[in-house]
C-alpha cells in the first residue's frame, strides 16, 4: 500500500511569488491535514480537509489556503511568499480525521524562500 | 487553553540505558494521546497511541508509554536505548470534547543516544 506522497520534495521560491504543494493520501483515507514545521516553532497546524471540505483551520494568515479534490488528493497554496514561510510542509492522512485516528505523514516538501 | 508540553528540548542517554521522553498535557474531556518520531529529513512516523483501556501502551520499535490521568502525563519509555533511536520525538493530544477536534502537538524532544 503506497504511503502519503508529497510533491515537490524541494523547491526554492522568490519572495512575493506563490507556491502550490501537492499531497496524495493513502488510498481510502479521506482526511488530509497540513502542517508547517520550523526549528523554533515545531509543528504548526495549517488546516484539515475531509471529503473536500475544510474541517479545521489553524492560525495562519489568508495567504495560506488549501483544497481537496474528490479523489482525496489535496493541494495547499501560499501566495505572496515571505522569507518566514521557509519551512518543511508536511501532509498527513487518516481514515476519518486527525483528531482521534492514527495519522500518516508524507516525507514533506522543503520550501526555501529567498 | 489546551496545551501539550514536552519539558525537555533534548534528552541524552547512553546506549543500553533506559530512556524516558516526557509529555504532559492540559485538555478538556478524555484525551487521545499519541507519540510520533521524526528521523532526520523525514516525515513523522507513528509510534503508539492511547485511546482507552490499559494505561500502559506498547508500540513500535520496543517503545511504550504510560498514561497517568492524575498527573496528566504520557511519558514515552524504552528499557534499552539504541543509537538508532536518536531522533526527534513528538507528543500529540486530542480531546473528545464538543467540536474542538484538532490535534495539539508538543514542540518535540530531540533524543540523542550515545554509543
Amino acid at each position: 500500500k503506497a504511503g502519503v506522497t508529497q510533491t515537490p520534495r524541494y523547491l526554492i521560491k522568490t519572495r512575493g511569488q506563490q507556491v502550490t504543494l501537492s499531497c496524495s493520501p493513502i488510498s481510502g483515507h479521506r482526511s488530509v491535514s497540513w502542517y508547517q514545521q520550523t526549528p523554533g516553532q515545531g509543528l504548526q497546524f495549517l488546516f484539515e480537509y475531509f471529503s473536500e471540505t475544510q474541517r479545521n483551520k489553524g492560525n495562519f494568515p489568508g495567504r495560506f489556503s488549501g483544497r481537496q479534490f474528490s479523489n482525496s488528493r489535496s493541494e495547499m497554496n501560499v501566495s505572496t511568499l515571505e522569507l518566514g514561510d521557509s519551512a518543511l510542509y508536511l501532509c498527513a492522512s487518516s481514515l476519518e480525521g486527525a483528531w482521534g485516528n492514527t495519522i500518516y505523514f508524507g516525507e514533506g516538501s522543503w520550501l526555501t524562500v529567498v | 487553553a489546551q496545551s501539550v508540553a514536552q519539558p525537555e528540548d533534548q534528552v541524552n542517554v547512553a546506549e543500553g540505558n533506559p530512556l524516558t521522553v516526557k509529555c504532559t498535557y492540559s485538555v478538556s474531556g478524555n484525551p487521545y494521546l499519541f507519540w510520533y518520531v521524526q528521523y532526520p529529513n523525514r516525515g513523522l512516523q507513528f509510534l503508539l497511541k492511547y485511546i482507552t483501556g490499559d494505561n500502559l501502551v506498547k508500540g513500535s520499535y520496543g517503545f511504550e508509554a504510560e498514561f497517568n490521568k492524575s498527573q496528566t502525563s504520557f511519558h514515552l519509555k524504552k528499557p534499552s536505548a539504541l543509537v538508532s533511536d536518536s531522533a526527534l520525538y513528538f507528543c500529540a493530544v486530542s480531546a473528545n470534547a464538543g467540536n474542538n477536534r484538532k490535534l495539539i502537538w508538543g514542540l518535540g524532544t530531540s533524543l540523542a543516544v550515545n554509543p
Side-chain angles (χ1 to χ4, degrees), chain B residues 63-104:
Chain B
F63 284 93
E64 59 188 28
E66 185 167 13
F67 170 59
N68 188 317
K69 189 172 183 177
S70 62
Q71 297 186 4
T72 61
S73 68
F74 189 57
H75 300 331
L76 181 69
K77 299 182 180 185
K78 187 173 183 181
S80 178
L82 299 172
V83 172
S84 57
D85 292 330
S86 298
L88 188 58
Y89 290 81
F90 289 94
C91 177
V93 181
S94 73
N96 184 14
N99 292 322
N100 186 8
R101 294 186 170 185
K102 279 183 279 192
L103 268 179
I104 306 164

Side-chain angles (χ1 to χ4, degrees), chain A residues 9 35 37 41 43 45 56-57 88 90 98-103 105-107 110, chain B residues 32 34 36 38 41-44 46 49 51 88 90 94 96 101-103 105 107:
Chain A
R9 288 294 317 280
Y35 292 86
Q37 185 179 17
Q41 297 295 319
L43 277 173
F45 172 74
N56 274 310
K57 189 176 187 302
L88 176 65
L90 291 165
W99 67 275
N101 296 279
T102 302
I103 59 176
F105 284 85
E107 299 283 276
W110 286 95
Chain B
Y32 290 11
F34 302 83
Y36 285 81
Q38 185 178 33
N41 301 317
R42 306 290 298 275
L44 280 71
F46 170 76
K49 67 180 177 183
I51 303 294
L88 188 58
F90 289 94
S94 73
N96 184 14
R101 294 186 170 185
K102 279 183 279 192
L103 268 179
W105 293 83
L107 291 180

Side-chain angles (χ1 to χ4, degrees), chain A residues 56-84:
Chain A
N56 274 310
K57 189 176 187 302
N59 297 319
F60 278 80
R63 300 185 296 108
F64 292 81
S65 62
R67 58 178 175 168
Q68 187 179 33
F69 302 95
S70 59
N71 62 358
S72 292
R73 189 177 71 85
S74 178
E75 289 180 348
M76 68 161 283
N77 184 277
V78 188
S79 62
T80 320
L81 284 165
E82 301 176 359
L83 296 178

